[in-house]
Amino acid sequence: MISNQDLFTISSQKQFEKMALKVFRFQYENNLVYQEFCNFLKVDKQAVKMVTQIPFLPIQFFKSHDVVSTTNSIQKTFTSSGTTGMITSKHLVTDISLYEQSYRLAFSEFYGNIEDYVVLALLPSYLERTGSSLIYMVKDLIELSNNEHSGFYLHNYEELIAKLIEIDNAGQNVILIGVTYALLDLIEKQKFQLKNTIIMETGGMKGKRKEIIREELHDILCKGFGVKSIHSEYGMTELLSQAYSLGNGIFECPSWMQILVRNTEDALTYENYGKTGGVNVIDLANINSCSFIATQDLGKKYPNNSFEILGRFDNSDIRGCNLMVI
């Protein structure tokens, strides 16, 4: 039996690898979709002795199958955003406390006590639909901040501008979490010189604006908000964990999450540090669905489990969480 405690108290690479192999065996035995995928690849469960031998389920399976590793009832269904007629991904969550524990611990690891911040959220396209895992997380962080100024903003930009200037000038620590196009909309209405605010973009133009490279985007946002760096969050419907970038587009994972970079021509071969390839994510918080996911993102891995996202495969869908293309 694998407990939440086992997943969230990993403190070394050796411990991570041991737990990943344990989760792989559990999911092979209990997730029929994953088992069938492994069998199709002719992978013998007993022969898998290293993390690099674990099969990674293509992320598209979350669109076509119910990816679950337990018979427990579904507590929450998270869905991805998409244009009309597009098949969206669904993540069937049987234990919502795993998600809550994952994002609360990760936030604390990277940013400290949530009660030290005013949390402002500018996520109009997420708020305007149901089933967003990002909205679930941010709503909880707003409540945990226990601050009367924390809250969501939709299209009421003038109110947000006044609030942001007021609390930043008062010396309070602020985190403004925003979808990329809305942050650009905001600085077109008002230029800021913020001293106590972290700007965190969640990626994605959602068809509202032309995609631009990260360096150009962050330069525009830095100038518009008067800050030295832009933070980013890397997450998606199919994951119960997030990685964070505290600037320069280099993401770091919490201890129960890692990425591997696969060769774009041979999905079973992995690239060395600094080489571009497809991003495979190990998210041990996904214990009840699938912890080994081959995404459609392109990226590079660096030492200390840090990584960079460079874009997406050309033939992949434009989706809610898509990041800046090359």
Side-chain angles (χ1 to χ4, degrees), residues 226-311:
V227 296
K228 292 179 179 177
S229 63
I230 301 297
H231 293 218
S232 305
E233 180 252 11
Y234 180 77
M236 56 188 73
T237 301
E238 300 84 357
L239 302 178
L240 291 186
S241 300
Q242 299 79 29
Y244 289 99
S245 166
L246 307 188
N248 304 319
I250 304 299
F251 290 91
E252 294 183 53
C253 300
S255 62
W256 56 92
M257 176 185 181
Q258 287 188 16
I259 75 151
L260 298 173
V261 174
R262 67 183 184 271
N263 184 284
T264 54
E265 303 296 327
D266 177 7
L268 302 180
T269 301
Y270 292 100
E271 300 289 6
N272 294 324
Y273 291 140
K275 294 200 72 175
T276 300
V279 173
N280 285 2
V281 178
I282 303 173
D283 181 5
L284 299 182
N286 271 21
I287 180 75
N288 295 321
S289 54
C290 183
S291 290
F292 311 97
I293 299 174
T295 77
Q296 293 175 319
D297 292 328
L298 287 166
K300 294 179 181 180
K301 185 173 180 177
Y302 299 111
N304 302 319
N305 288 314
S306 62
F307 66 98
E308 183 178 9
I309 296 297
L310 300 173

Coordinates of all heavy atoms in Angstrom, one line a residue, residues 226-311:
G226 N 6.7 46.7 -14.5 CA 7.8 47.3 -13.8 C 8.5 46.3 -12.8 O 9.0 46.7 -11.7
V227 N 8.6 45.1 -13.2 CA 9.2 44.0 -12.4 C 10.5 43.5 -13.1 O 10.6 43.7 -14.3 CB 8.3 42.9 -12.1 CG1 7.1 43.4 -11.2 CG2 7.7 42.2 -13.3
K228 N 11.3 42.8 -12.3 CA 12.6 42.3 -12.9 C 12.5 41.0 -13.6 O 13.3 40.6 -14.4 CB 13.7 42.3 -11.8 CG 14.1 43.6 -11.3 CD 15.1 43.5 -10.2 CE 15.6 44.9 -9.7 NZ 16.5 44.8 -8.6
S229 N 11.5 40.2 -13.2 CA 11.3 38.8 -13.7 C 9.9 38.4 -13.7 O 9.1 39.0 -12.9 CB 12.2 37.8 -13.0 OG 11.8 37.7 -11.6
I230 N 9.5 37.5 -14.5 CA 8.2 36.9 -14.6 C 8.2 35.4 -14.2 O 9.0 34.7 -14.7 CB 7.6 37.0 -16.0 CG1 7.6 38.5 -16.5 CG2 6.2 36.4 -16.1 CD1 6.7 39.4 -15.7
H231 N 7.4 35.1 -13.2 CA 7.3 33.7 -12.8 C 6.3 33.0 -13.7 O 5.5 33.6 -14.3 CB 6.8 33.7 -11.3 CG 7.8 34.2 -10.4 ND1 8.0 33.7 -9.1 CD2 8.7 35.3 -10.4 CE1 9.0 34.3 -8.5 NE2 9.4 35.3 -9.3
S232 N 6.4 31.6 -13.7 CA 5.5 30.8 -14.5 C 5.2 29.6 -13.8 O 5.9 29.1 -12.9 CB 6.2 30.4 -15.9 OG 6.7 31.6 -16.6
E233 N 4.0 29.0 -14.1 CA 3.5 27.8 -13.6 C 3.4 26.8 -14.7 O 2.8 27.1 -15.8 CB 2.2 28.0 -12.9 CG 1.5 26.8 -12.3 CD 0.3 26.3 -13.0 OE1 0.1 26.7 -14.2 OE2 -0.3 25.4 -12.5
Y234 N 3.9 25.6 -14.5 CA 3.7 24.5 -15.6 C 2.8 23.4 -15.0 O 3.2 22.7 -14.1 CB 5.1 24.0 -15.9 CG 5.0 22.8 -17.0 CD1 4.8 23.1 -18.3 CD2 5.2 21.5 -16.6 CE1 4.8 22.1 -19.3 CE2 5.1 20.5 -17.6 CZ 4.9 20.8 -18.9 OH 4.8 19.8 -19.8
G235 N 1.6 23.4 -15.5 CA 0.7 22.4 -15.0 C -0.3 22.1 -16.1 O -0.3 22.8 -17.2
M236 N -1.1 21.0 -16.0 CA -2.1 20.7 -17.0 C -3.1 19.8 -16.4 O -2.9 19.3 -15.3 CB -1.4 20.0 -18.2 CG -0.6 18.8 -17.9 SD 0.3 18.1 -19.3 CE 1.6 19.4 -19.4
T237 N -4.2 19.7 -17.1 CA -5.4 18.9 -16.6 C -5.0 17.5 -16.1 O -5.5 17.0 -15.1 CB -6.4 18.8 -17.7 OG1 -6.8 20.1 -18.1 CG2 -7.6 18.0 -17.3
E238 N -4.1 16.9 -16.9 CA -3.7 15.5 -16.7 C -2.8 15.3 -15.5 O -2.4 14.2 -15.2 CB -3.1 14.9 -17.9 CG -4.0 15.0 -19.2 CD -4.0 16.3 -19.9 OE1 -3.3 17.2 -19.5 OE2 -4.7 16.4 -21.0
L239 N -2.3 16.4 -14.9 CA -1.4 16.3 -13.8 C -2.0 16.8 -12.5 O -2.8 17.7 -12.5 CB -0.1 17.1 -14.0 CG 0.7 16.8 -15.3 CD1 1.9 17.7 -15.4 CD2 1.2 15.3 -15.2
L240 N -1.6 16.3 -11.3 CA -2.0 16.8 -10.1 C -0.9 17.5 -9.4 O -1.0 17.9 -8.2 CB -2.5 15.6 -9.1 CG -3.8 15.0 -9.6 CD1 -4.2 14.0 -8.5 CD2 -4.9 16.0 -9.8
S241 N 0.2 17.8 -10.1 CA 1.3 18.6 -9.6 C 1.7 19.7 -10.5 O 1.4 19.6 -11.7 CB 2.5 17.7 -9.3 OG 2.2 16.7 -8.3
Q242 N 2.4 20.7 -10.0 CA 2.9 21.8 -10.9 C 4.4 22.0 -10.7 O 4.9 21.8 -9.6 CB 2.2 23.1 -10.5 CG 0.7 23.1 -10.7 CD 0.0 22.4 -9.6 OE1 0.4 22.4 -8.5 NE2 -1.2 21.8 -9.9
A243 N 5.0 22.4 -11.7 CA 6.4 22.9 -11.6 C 6.3 24.5 -11.7 O 5.4 25.0 -12.3 CB 7.3 22.4 -12.7
Y244 N 7.3 25.1 -11.1 CA 7.3 26.6 -11.1 C 8.7 27.1 -11.6 O 9.7 26.6 -11.3 CB 7.1 27.1 -9.6 CG 5.7 26.9 -9.1 CD1 5.4 25.8 -8.3 CD2 4.7 27.8 -9.5 CE1 4.1 25.6 -7.8 CE2 3.4 27.6 -9.1 CZ 3.1 26.5 -8.2 OH 1.8 26.3 -7.8
S245 N 8.6 28.2 -12.3 CA 9.7 29.0 -12.7 C 9.7 30.3 -12.0 O 8.7 31.1 -12.0 CB 9.7 29.2 -14.2 OG 10.7 30.2 -14.6
L246 N 10.8 30.6 -11.3 CA 10.9 31.9 -10.6 C 11.6 33.0 -11.4 O 12.0 34.0 -10.9 CB 11.7 31.7 -9.3 CG 11.2 30.5 -8.3 CD1 12.0 30.6 -7.0 CD2 9.7 30.6 -8.1
G247 N 11.7 32.7 -12.7 CA 12.3 33.6 -13.7 C 13.1 32.9 -14.7 O 13.5 31.8 -14.5
N248 N 13.3 33.5 -15.9 CA 14.1 33.0 -16.9 C 13.6 31.7 -17.6 O 14.3 31.1 -18.4 CB 15.6 32.7 -16.4 CG 16.2 34.0 -15.8 OD1 16.1 35.1 -16.4 ND2 16.9 33.8 -14.7
G249 N 12.4 31.4 -17.3 CA 11.7 30.2 -17.9 C 12.3 28.9 -17.5 O 12.0 27.9 -18.2
I250 N 13.1 28.8 -16.5 CA 13.6 27.5 -16.0 C 12.7 27.0 -14.9 O 12.6 27.7 -13.8 CB 15.1 27.7 -15.5 CG1 15.9 28.3 -16.6 CG2 15.6 26.3 -15.1 CD1 16.0 27.4 -17.9
F251 N 12.1 25.9 -15.1 CA 11.2 25.3 -14.1 C 11.9 24.3 -13.2 O 12.8 23.6 -13.6 CB 10.0 24.6 -14.8 CG 9.1 25.5 -15.6 CD1 9.3 25.8 -16.9 CD2 8.0 26.0 -15.0 CE1 8.4 26.6 -17.6 CE2 7.1 26.9 -15.7 CZ 7.3 27.2 -17.0
E252 N 11.4 24.3 -12.0 CA 11.8 23.3 -11.0 C 10.6 22.6 -10.5 O 9.5 23.1 -10.4 CB 12.5 24.0 -9.8 CG 13.8 24.6 -10.3 CD 14.6 25.2 -9.1 OE1 14.8 24.5 -8.1 OE2 14.9 26.4 -9.1
C253 N 10.8 21.3 -10.2 CA 9.7 20.4 -9.8 C 9.7 20.2 -8.3 O 10.8 20.2 -7.6 CB 9.8 19.0 -10.4 SG 9.8 19.0 -12.2
P254 N 8.6 19.9 -7.7 CA 8.6 19.5 -6.3 C 9.2 18.1 -6.2 O 9.3 17.4 -7.3 CB 7.1 19.5 -5.9 CG 6.4 19.3 -7.2 CD 7.2 20.1 -8.2
S255 N 9.5 17.6 -5.1 CA 10.3 16.3 -5.0 C 9.6 15.1 -5.5 O 10.2 14.1 -5.7 CB 10.7 16.1 -3.5 OG 9.5 16.0 -2.7
W256 N 8.3 15.1 -5.7 CA 7.5 14.0 -6.1 C 7.2 14.0 -7.6 O 6.4 13.3 -8.2 CB 6.2 13.8 -5.3 CG 5.4 15.0 -5.4 CD1 4.4 15.3 -6.2 CD2 5.4 16.2 -4.5 NE1 3.8 16.6 -6.0 CE2 4.4 17.1 -4.9 CE3 6.2 16.4 -3.3 CZ2 4.2 18.3 -4.2 CZ3 6.0 17.6 -2.7 CH2 5.0 18.6 -3.1
M257 N 7.9 15.0 -8.3 CA 7.6 15.2 -9.8 C 9.0 15.3 -10.5 O 9.9 16.0 -10.0 CB 6.8 16.4 -10.0 CG 6.5 16.8 -11.4 SD 5.6 18.4 -11.4 CE 5.4 18.7 -13.2
Q258 N 9.1 14.7 -11.6 CA 10.3 14.9 -12.4 C 10.0 14.8 -13.9 O 8.9 14.3 -14.2 CB 11.4 13.8 -12.1 CG 12.1 14.0 -10.8 CD 13.3 13.1 -10.6 OE1 13.8 12.4 -11.5 NE2 13.7 13.0 -9.3
I259 N 10.9 15.2 -14.8 CA 10.6 15.1 -16.2 C 11.8 14.3 -16.8 O 13.0 14.4 -16.3 CB 10.4 16.4 -16.9 CG1 11.7 17.2 -17.1 CG2 9.3 17.2 -16.3 CD1 11.7 18.0 -18.3
L260 N 11.5 13.7 -17.9 CA 12.6 13.1 -18.8 C 12.3 13.7 -20.2 O 11.2 14.1 -20.5 CB 12.4 11.6 -18.8 CG 12.6 10.8 -17.5 CD1 12.3 9.3 -17.8 CD2 14.1 11.0 -17.0
V261 N 13.4 13.8 -21.0 CA 13.2 14.3 -22.3 C 13.5 13.2 -23.3 O 14.6 12.7 -23.4 CB 14.1 15.6 -22.5 CG1 14.1 16.0 -24.0 CG2 13.7 16.7 -21.6
R262 N 12.5 12.9 -24.1 CA 12.6 11.7 -25.0 C 13.1 12.2 -26.4 O 12.8 13.4 -26.8 CB 11.3 11.0 -25.1 CG 10.2 11.8 -25.8 CD 8.8 11.0 -25.8 NE 7.8 11.8 -26.5 CZ 7.0 12.7 -26.0 NH1 7.1 13.0 -24.7 NH2 6.1 13.3 -26.7
N263 N 13.7 11.4 -27.1 CA 14.1 11.6 -28.5 C 12.9 11.8 -29.3 O 11.9 11.0 -29.2 CB 15.0 10.5 -29.0 CG 15.5 10.7 -30.4 OD1 14.8 10.6 -31.4 ND2 16.8 11.1 -30.5
T264 N 12.8 12.8 -30.2 CA 11.6 13.0 -31.0 C 11.4 12.0 -32.1 O 10.3 11.8 -32.6 CB 11.7 14.4 -31.7 OG1 12.9 14.5 -32.4 CG2 11.7 15.5 -30.6
E265 N 12.4 11.2 -32.4 CA 12.3 10.2 -33.4 C 12.1 8.8 -32.8 O 11.4 7.9 -33.4 CB 13.5 10.1 -34.3 CG 13.9 11.4 -35.0 CD 12.8 11.8 -36.0 OE1 12.1 10.9 -36.6 OE2 12.5 13.0 -36.2
D266 N 12.6 8.6 -31.6 CA 12.5 7.3 -30.9 C 12.1 7.6 -29.5 O 12.9 8.0 -28.6 CB 13.9 6.6 -30.9 CG 13.9 5.3 -30.2 OD1 12.8 4.8 -29.7 OD2 14.9 4.7 -30.0
A267 N 10.8 7.3 -29.2 CA 10.2 7.7 -27.9 C 10.7 6.9 -26.8 O 10.5 7.3 -25.6 CB 8.7 7.5 -28.0
L268 N 11.5 5.8 -27.0 CA 12.0 5.0 -25.9 C 13.5 5.4 -25.6 O 14.1 4.7 -24.8 CB 11.9 3.5 -26.3 CG 10.4 3.0 -26.6 CD1 10.4 1.6 -26.9 CD2 9.5 3.3 -25.4
T269 N 14.0 6.4 -26.3 CA 15.4 6.8 -26.0 C 15.3 8.2 -25.4 O 14.5 9.1 -25.8 CB 16.2 6.9 -27.4 OG1 16.2 5.6 -28.0 CG2 17.6 7.4 -27.1
Y270 N 16.2 8.5 -24.4 CA 16.2 9.7 -23.7 C 17.4 10.6 -24.1 O 18.5 10.1 -24.3 CB 16.1 9.5 -22.2 CG 14.7 8.9 -21.9 CD1 14.6 7.5 -21.7 CD2 13.6 9.7 -21.9 CE1 13.3 7.0 -21.4 CE2 12.3 9.2 -21.6 CZ 12.2 7.8 -21.4 OH 11.0 7.3 -21.1
E271 N 17.2 11.9 -24.1 CA 18.2 12.9 -24.4 C 19.0 13.3 -23.2 O 18.5 13.2 -22.0 CB 17.6 14.2 -25.0 CG 16.8 13.9 -26.3 CD 17.7 13.6 -27.5 OE1 18.9 13.4 -27.3 OE2 17.1 13.5 -28.6
N272 N 20.2 13.7 -23.4 CA 21.1 14.2 -22.3 C 20.7 15.6 -22.0 O 19.9 16.3 -22.7 CB 22.6 14.2 -22.8 CG 23.1 12.7 -23.0 OD1 22.7 11.8 -22.3 ND2 23.9 12.5 -24.0
Y273 N 21.3 16.1 -20.9 CA 21.0 17.5 -20.5 C 21.2 18.5 -21.6 O 22.2 18.4 -22.4 CB 21.9 17.9 -19.3 CG 21.7 17.2 -18.0 CD1 22.7 16.7 -17.2 CD2 20.4 17.0 -17.6 CE1 22.5 16.1 -16.0 CE2 20.1 16.3 -16.4 CZ 21.2 15.9 -15.6 OH 20.9 15.3 -14.4
G274 N 20.4 19.4 -21.8 CA 20.5 20.5 -22.7 C 20.1 20.2 -24.1 O 20.2 21.1 -25.0
K275 N 19.6 19.0 -24.4 CA 19.2 18.6 -25.8 C 17.7 18.7 -25.8 O 17.0 18.3 -24.9 CB 19.7 17.3 -26.1 CG 21.2 17.2 -26.3 CD 21.7 16.0 -27.1 CE 21.4 16.2 -28.6 NZ 21.9 15.1 -29.4
T276 N 17.1 19.1 -26.9 CA 15.7 19.3 -27.1 C 15.0 18.0 -27.4 O 15.5 17.2 -28.2 CB 15.4 20.3 -28.2 OG1 16.0 21.6 -27.9 CG2 13.9 20.5 -28.4
G277 N 13.9 17.8 -26.8 CA 13.1 16.6 -27.1 C 11.7 16.7 -26.5 O 11.3 17.7 -26.0
G278 N 10.9 15.6 -26.6 CA 9.6 15.6 -26.1 C 9.6 15.4 -24.5 O 10.5 14.7 -24.0
V279 N 8.7 16.1 -23.9 CA 8.7 16.1 -22.4 C 7.8 15.0 -21.9 O 6.6 14.9 -22.2 CB 8.2 17.4 -21.9 CG1 8.0 17.4 -20.4 CG2 9.1 18.6 -22.2
N280 N 8.5 14.1 -21.1 CA 7.7 13.0 -20.3 C 7.7 13.5 -18.9 O 8.7 13.9 -18.3 CB 8.5 11.7 -20.4 CG 8.3 11.0 -21.8 OD1 7.6 11.5 -22.7 ND2 8.9 9.8 -21.9
V281 N 6.5 13.4 -18.3 CA 6.4 13.8 -16.9 C 6.1 12.6 -16.0 O 5.3 11.8 -16.3 CB 5.2 14.8 -16.7 CG1 5.1 15.2 -15.3 CG2 5.5 16.1 -17.6
I282 N 6.9 12.5 -14.9 CA 6.5 11.6 -13.8 C 5.9 12.4 -12.7 O 6.5 13.3 -12.1 CB 7.8 10.9 -13.2 CG1 8.5 10.1 -14.3 CG2 7.4 9.9 -12.1 CD1 9.9 9.6 -13.9
D283 N 4.6 12.2 -12.4 CA 3.9 12.9 -11.3 C 3.4 11.8 -10.4 O 2.3 11.2 -10.7 CB 2.8 13.7 -11.9 CG 2.0 14.5 -10.8 OD1 2.5 14.4 -9.7 OD2 1.0 15.1 -11.2
L284 N 4.1 11.6 -9.3 CA 3.7 10.5 -8.4 C 2.4 10.8 -7.7 O 1.7 9.9 -7.1 CB 4.8 10.3 -7.4 CG 6.1 9.8 -8.0 CD1 7.2 9.5 -6.9 CD2 5.9 8.6 -8.9
A285 N 1.9 12.1 -7.7 CA 0.6 12.5 -7.1 C -0.5 11.9 -7.9 O -1.6 11.8 -7.5 CB 0.5 14.0 -7.0
N286 N -0.2 11.5 -9.2 CA -1.2 10.8 -10.1 C -1.3 9.3 -9.7 O -1.6 8.6 -10.6 CB -0.7 11.0 -11.5 CG -1.3 12.3 -12.2 OD1 -1.6 13.2 -11.5 ND2 -1.3 12.3 -13.5
I287 N -1.1 9.0 -8.5 CA -1.1 7.6 -8.1 C -2.4 6.8 -8.5 O -2.4 5.7 -8.9 CB -0.9 7.4 -6.6 CG1 -0.9 6.0 -6.1 CG2 -1.9 8.2 -5.8 CD1 0.3 5.2 -6.5
N288 N -3.5 7.6 -8.5 CA -4.8 6.9 -8.9 C -5.2 7.1 -10.3 O -6.3 6.6 -10.7 CB -5.9 7.5 -7.9 CG -5.7 7.2 -6.5 OD1 -5.3 6.1 -6.2 ND2 -5.9 8.2 -5.6
S289 N -4.4 7.7 -11.2 CA -4.7 7.7 -12.6 C -3.5 7.1 -13.3 O -3.3 5.9 -13.4 CB -5.0 9.1 -13.0 OG -4.0 10.1 -12.7
C290 N -2.6 7.9 -13.8 CA -1.3 7.4 -14.4 C -0.2 8.5 -14.1 O -0.4 9.6 -14.4 CB -1.4 7.2 -15.9 SG 0.1 6.5 -16.6
S291 N 0.9 8.0 -13.5 CA 2.0 8.9 -13.1 C 3.0 9.1 -14.2 O 3.9 9.9 -14.0 CB 2.6 8.3 -11.8 OG 1.8 8.4 -10.7
F292 N 2.9 8.4 -15.3 CA 3.9 8.4 -16.3 C 3.3 8.9 -17.7 O 2.6 8.1 -18.4 CB 4.6 7.0 -16.5 CG 5.0 6.5 -15.1 CD1 4.1 5.6 -14.4 CD2 6.1 6.9 -14.5 CE1 4.5 5.1 -13.2 CE2 6.5 6.4 -13.2 CZ 5.6 5.5 -12.6
I293 N 3.5 10.1 -18.0 CA 2.7 10.7 -19.1 C 3.7 11.3 -20.1 O 4.6 12.1 -19.8 CB 1.8 11.8 -18.6 CG1 0.7 11.2 -17.7 CG2 1.1 12.5 -19.8 CD1 -0.2 12.2 -17.0
A294 N 3.5 10.9 -21.4 CA 4.3 11.5 -22.5 C 3.5 12.7 -23.0 O 2.4 12.5 -23.7 CB 4.5 10.5 -23.6
T295 N 3.9 13.9 -22.8 CA 3.2 15.1 -23.2 C 3.5 15.5 -24.7 O 4.4 14.9 -25.3 CB 3.5 16.3 -22.3 OG1 4.8 16.9 -22.7 CG2 3.5 16.0 -20.8
Q296 N 2.9 16.5 -25.2 CA 3.2 17.0 -26.5 C 4.0 18.3 -26.5 O 4.1 19.0 -27.5 CB 1.9 17.2 -27.3 CG 1.1 15.9 -27.5 CD -0.2 16.1 -28.2 OE1 -1.0 17.0 -27.8 NE2 -0.6 15.3 -29.1
D297 N 4.6 18.5 -25.3 CA 5.5 19.7 -25.2 C 6.9 19.3 -25.6 O 7.4 18.1 -25.4 CB 5.5 20.2 -23.7 CG 4.2 20.8 -23.3 OD1 3.5 21.4 -24.2 OD2 3.8 20.7 -22.2
L298 N 7.6 20.3 -26.1 CA 9.1 20.1 -26.4 C 9.9 20.9 -25.3 O 9.5 22.0 -24.9 CB 9.4 20.7 -27.7 CG 8.9 20.0 -29.0 CD1 9.0 20.9 -30.2 CD2 9.8 18.7 -29.2
G299 N 11.0 20.3 -24.9 CA 11.7 21.0 -23.8 C 13.1 20.5 -23.7 O 13.6 19.6 -24.5
K300 N 13.9 21.0 -22.7 CA 15.2 20.6 -22.4 C 15.3 20.4 -20.9 O 14.7 21.1 -20.1 CB 16.2 21.7 -22.8 CG 16.4 22.0 -24.3 CD 17.4 23.1 -24.4 CE 17.6 23.4 -25.9 NZ 18.6 24.5 -26.1
K301 N 16.1 19.4 -20.5 CA 16.3 19.1 -19.1 C 17.7 19.6 -18.7 O 18.6 19.4 -19.5 CB 16.1 17.6 -18.8 CG 16.2 17.3 -17.3 CD 15.8 15.9 -17.0 CE 16.0 15.6 -15.5 NZ 15.6 14.2 -15.2
Y302 N 17.8 20.1 -17.5 CA 19.1 20.5 -17.0 C 19.4 19.8 -15.6 O 18.5 19.2 -15.1 CB 19.1 22.1 -16.8 CG 18.8 22.8 -18.0 CD1 17.6 23.5 -18.2 CD2 19.7 22.8 -19.1 CE1 17.4 24.2 -19.4 CE2 19.5 23.5 -20.2 CZ 18.3 24.2 -20.4 OH 18.1 24.9 -21.6
P303 N 20.6 20.0 -15.1 CA 20.9 19.3 -13.8 C 19.9 19.8 -12.7 O 19.3 20.8 -12.9 CB 22.3 19.8 -13.5 CG 22.9 20.0 -14.9 CD 21.8 20.6 -15.7
N304 N 19.9 19.1 -11.6 CA 19.0 19.4 -10.5 C 17.5 19.3 -10.8 O 16.7 20.0 -10.2 CB 19.4 20.7 -9.9 CG 20.8 20.8 -9.5 OD1 21.3 19.9 -8.9 ND2 21.4 22.0 -9.7
N305 N 17.2 18.5 -11.8 CA 15.8 18.3 -12.2 C 15.1 19.6 -12.7 O 13.9 19.7 -12.6 CB 15.0 17.6 -11.1 CG 15.4 16.2 -10.9 OD1 15.5 15.4 -11.9 ND2 15.7 15.7 -9.7
S306 N 15.8 20.5 -13.1 CA 15.2 21.7 -13.7 C 15.0 21.5 -15.2 O 15.6 20.6 -15.8 CB 16.0 23.0 -13.5 OG 17.3 22.9 -14.1
F307 N 14.1 22.3 -15.8 CA 13.8 22.1 -17.2 C 13.2 23.4 -17.8 O 12.8 24.3 -17.1 CB 12.8 20.9 -17.5 CG 11.4 21.1 -16.9 CD1 10.4 21.5 -17.7 CD2 11.2 20.9 -15.6 CE1 9.1 21.7 -17.2 CE2 9.9 21.0 -15.1 CZ 8.9 21.5 -15.9
E308 N 13.2 23.3 -19.2 CA 12.7 24.5 -19.9 C 11.7 24.0 -20.9 O 11.9 22.9 -21.5 CB 13.9 25.2 -20.6 CG 13.6 26.4 -21.4 CD 14.8 27.0 -22.0 OE1 15.9 26.4 -22.0 OE2 14.7 28.2 -22.5
I309 N 10.6 24.7 -21.1 CA 9.6 24.4 -22.2 C 9.9 25.3 -23.4 O 9.9 26.5 -23.2 CB 8.2 24.5 -21.7 CG1 7.9 23.6 -20.5 CG2 7.2 24.3 -22.8 CD1 8.0 22.1 -20.9
L310 N 10.0 24.7 -24.6 CA 10.3 25.4 -25.8 C 9.2 25.6 -26.7 O 9.2 26.4 -27.6 CB 11.5 24.7 -26.5 CG 12.8 24.6 -25.7 CD1 13.8 23.8 -26.4 CD2 13.4 26.0 -25.4
G311 N 8.2 24.7 -26.6 CA 7.0 24.8 -27.5 C 6.3 23.5 -27.5 O 6.3 22.8 -26.5

